[in-house]
Amino acid sequence: MSEPIVSTPSAALTFDPLKVRDDFPILAQKVHGKDLVYLDSAASTQKPQQVISAIAQAYGKEYANVHRGAYYLSEIATTNYESAREKVRAFINARSLSEIVFTKGATEAINLVAATYGRESLKPGDEVVLTQLEHHSNIVPWQLLRDVSGCVLKIVPVACDGSVSIESFAKVIGPKTKIVSIAHVSNVLGTTLPVNEVVQLAHQFGAKVLVDGCQGIVHREVDVRALDCDFYTFSGHKLYGPTGIGVLWARSELLEAMPPYQGGGDMIETVTFDKSVWAEPPAKFEAGTPPIVEAIGLGVALDYLNGLDRAAVKVHETELLTYAMTRLEDVPGLKLIGTASGKVSVQSFVMEGVHPHDLATVLDRFGVSVRAGHHCAQPLMEAFNITATTRASFALYNIKEDVDELIIALSRARELLL
Ligand code: C6P
C-alpha cells in the first residue's frame, strides 16, 4: 500500500517565510525575464509541493470512483475523500461530519443555500440583508431568489475607510430580516466584518446568517461554533488547495430540513418512478461523482496549514500589509482604497491619471502579478465612485522584498504611463 496522503511543510511550526517559499515551486520561476512577484493570492493562492504531490498520488496510485466500488482502489479513494471531510470538519471546528458539504466552490455553496433554504423559507416582503462590499457571488444568487420569492434585498453601506460598522447593520436588520449574507473579509478592501456582532443581532430577530468565508478563512482562524453563524462557505483554491472544490458548512438541523439542490446518483436512498427518498446530509447535497481528488488535495492543504504556526503567519501577513501600506502611501498620485483597522493583507489602490488595467499590464512586464478591475464587486466600485482598482494581495509566502519590487515597478510604470 502507498504512503498515506499527509503533508509536512518545510517550515513546520517555526514559521519562516523564506523557507516556506521553497514549498511553492512556481515562485522560483521568471516571467518576462524577471523574478516572479506573485501578489494575486486573493484571486487564487499558489500550491505547495505537498498538495501537488498528493494530487499526483491520488491520480497515479489511488484513483477510483468513491462510495460505489467494493474493491481495493475504490475503498482507498473513498477513505481519502472522507478523511478530507474530517480534515475540513476539524479545521473549522464543526460539530459533525454531516455538516460538511463539498461543492465545487464558494459560489456554488452560496447558490445552494439561496436555491434550497432560501426558496423554501422566504415569502414576498421578507428581507435578505447584504452589504455594499459583497462579491457578485454573494449578490446574484440572492437576486435570483428575489425573482422567484418576492423577497427584498436590503443593503448595509460601507464607510469611506472600507469598514462596515455594527451600527450600520443595526439600522437595516429588523423583524422582516430572514437571512443576512455577508463576507467574512472583503476581497477588494481586506476589511474584516464584525461577524460575531452581526450574528448576535440577526439571531435576536430569528434571522439566519451566511458568512462568505472565501477570504476570511485564508487569513483568520475560523471556528464556526464560536462564530455561531448558520452557514459558512469557502473555496479550496484560495486556501492553498486545488480549484474545483469548495465547502458549505451548515448546522445539521438546517441541512436536514433543506431540500436537495441537484438530483442524481449518491444523493438518494431509493428511487422509483413514483418517488425518490433522499440520502442523509451531506450526501443529499452531493449529487453525482464528486470532486474526489480536489477534496483530497484540499485536505492536504489543510494539513499543510496545520503544520505551520498560524499565529506567526498572521503576524507575518499583518507586518507585510503595514509595510506595503506605508510604502504605497509614499508613491506620488497613489490613493489607497480600503484602510479599515483590523483588515487583512489585501490592498487596493488607484493611481491618478492611470487606468488600473494599464497599470497591472505594465507591472506584469516587471514580473509583478496583481489583479486589476472591479474584482467582481461592481456595487462596491460604485460606492467608491470608481470603476476599477489595482489590487495587491499578500499570502504567507510573500516577503518584504516583494513589496519593494512592487514599489519599484509602480515608479517605473508611472514614468511610462504618465
Ligand atoms: N474572489 C478575487 O479575485 P469562487 O470563484 O467560487 O472560488 O469564489 C467566489 C468569491 C466569493 N466571495 C469572495 C469574498 C471572493 O473573494 C470570491 C472570489 C476572487 O477576489 C475571484 S473574483
Side-chain angles (χ1 to χ4, degrees):
M1 190 169 151
S2 333
E3 288 297 303
I5 299 180
V6 291
S7 143
T8 315
S10 311
L13 292 177
T14 48
F15 180 69
D16 173 356
L18 283 177
K19 195 115 182 54
V20 154
R21 288 174 72 82
D22 292 340
D23 291 336
F24 293 81
I26 206 167
L27 297 179
Q29 71 179 291
K30 291 191 184 289
V31 294
H32 306 303
K34 310 268 194 251
D35 288 340
L36 170 67
V37 176
Y38 186 75
L39 300 180
D40 196 20
S41 296
S44 205
T45 48
Q46 299 298 348
K47 316 305 167 201
Q49 186 57 51
Q50 290 82 344
V51 169
I52 299 167
S53 301
I55 292 170
Q57 179 173 325
Y59 275 127
K61 294 191 173 157
E62 301 179 335
Y63 184 73
N65 210 330
V66 292
H67 302 150
R68 286 160 172 83
Y71 57 88
Y72 177 76
L73 281 180
S74 180
E75 277 167 17
I76 292 191
T78 304
T79 303
N80 288 342
Y81 177 70
E82 290 304 331
S83 49
R85 199 187 304 279
E86 166 54 23
K87 291 176 189 182
V88 172
R89 186 209 63 72
F91 196 75
I92 61 173
N93 194 29
R95 271 199 179 79
S96 98
L97 281 171
S98 61
E99 295 182 331
I100 309 296
V101 176
F102 283 128
T103 64
K104 75 178 160 69
T107 300
E108 189 179 50
I110 300 170
N111 274 278
L112 189 163
V113 176
T116 58
Y117 179 80
R119 280 191 197 206
E120 194 85 343
S121 55
L122 265 68
K123 304 182 304 300
D126 284 345
E127 292 178 357
V128 175
V129 172
L130 313 174
T131 78
Q132 234 170 359
L133 59 66
E134 299 309 320
H135 187 279
H136 296 167
S137 294
N138 194 26
I139 299 173
V140 184
W142 305 111
Q143 291 176 326
L144 294 171
L145 174 64
R146 176 182 62 189
D147 295 346
V148 291
S149 73
C151 72
V152 177
L153 304 188
K154 302 289 266 190
I155 311 301
V156 181
V158 176
C160 302
D161 64 351
S163 61
V164 191
S165 67
I166 188 63
E167 291 74 23
S168 315
F169 278 101
K171 286 185 190 146
V172 178
I173 294 174
K176 290 187 181 164
T177 308
K178 295 291 179 262
I179 299 173
V180 179
S181 191
I182 56 167
H184 190 172
V185 161
S186 160
N187 65 316
V188 180
L189 309 167
T191 309
T192 307
L193 273 74
V195 173
N196 277 106
E197 291 97 315
V198 172
V199 170
Q200 271 183 27
L201 182 63
H203 283 177
Q204 280 169 26
F205 292 100
K208 301 288 182 245
V209 180
L210 182 149
V211 180
D212 167 6
C214 251
Q215 304 291 341
I217 197 163
V218 185
H219 303 282
R220 300 286 179 257
E221 300 232 4
V222 170
D223 177 334
V224 289
R225 287 192 241 180
L227 280 178
D228 200 30
C229 56
D230 302 287
F231 305 97
Y232 195 95
T233 62
F234 61 96
S235 290
H237 70 96
K238 294 187 199 289
L239 200 52
Y240 308 95
T243 54
I245 183 75
V247 171
L248 163 65
W249 167 83
R251 293 177 188 277
S252 293
E253 60 272 24
L254 291 172
L255 289 177
E256 275 156 27
M258 279 155 56
Y261 180 46
Q262 295 182 328
D266 236 21
M267 50 75 72
I268 46 80
E269 287 297 337
T270 57
V271 178
T272 66
F273 280 111
D274 289 335
K275 178 178 185 300
S276 296
V277 177
W278 319 137
E280 293 297 318
K284 182 164 87 173
F285 299 99
E286 294 183 4
T289 298
I292 303 163
V293 177
E294 291 80 353
I296 293 168
L298 172 60
V300 175
L302 301 184
D303 291 339
Y304 182 83
L305 289 170
N306 285 332
L308 296 171
D309 178 345
R310 288 201 77 201
V313 171
K314 186 176 166 189
V315 170
H316 168 66
E317 289 181 350
T318 307
E319 280 173 6
L320 269 182
L321 174 71
T322 310
Y323 181 61
M325 288 175 81
T326 313
R327 299 278 333 254
L328 285 166
E329 268 170 342
D330 285 345
V331 176
L334 192 140
K335 184 175 168 219
L336 300 184
I337 307 287
T339 53
S341 66
K343 61 173 284 183
V344 309
S345 52
V346 172
Q347 190 59 57
S348 274
F349 51 87
V350 287
M351 188 183 269
E352 208 180 344
V354 178
H355 193 282
H357 278 134
D358 295 339
L359 189 55
T361 305
V362 174
L363 292 181
D364 179 54
R365 302 309 295 184
F366 294 104
V368 179
S369 310
V370 293
R371 186 170 173 192
H374 53 61
H375 312 290
C376 301
Q378 283 182 339
L380 178 63
M381 297 294 118
E382 208 183 316
F384 277 87
N385 207 16
I386 50 181
T387 54
T389 74
T390 305
R391 182 188 71 184
S393 47
F394 304 92
L396 52 81
Y397 43 63
N398 288 118
I399 47 179
K400 278 189 169 175
E401 287 74 3
D402 292 336
V403 178
D404 295 338
E405 290 303 325
L406 169 67
I407 301 298
I408 293 168
L410 280 169
S411 311
R412 299 291 307 279
R414 242 186 130 248
E415 286 159 18
L416 290 167
L417 292 166
L418 282 176

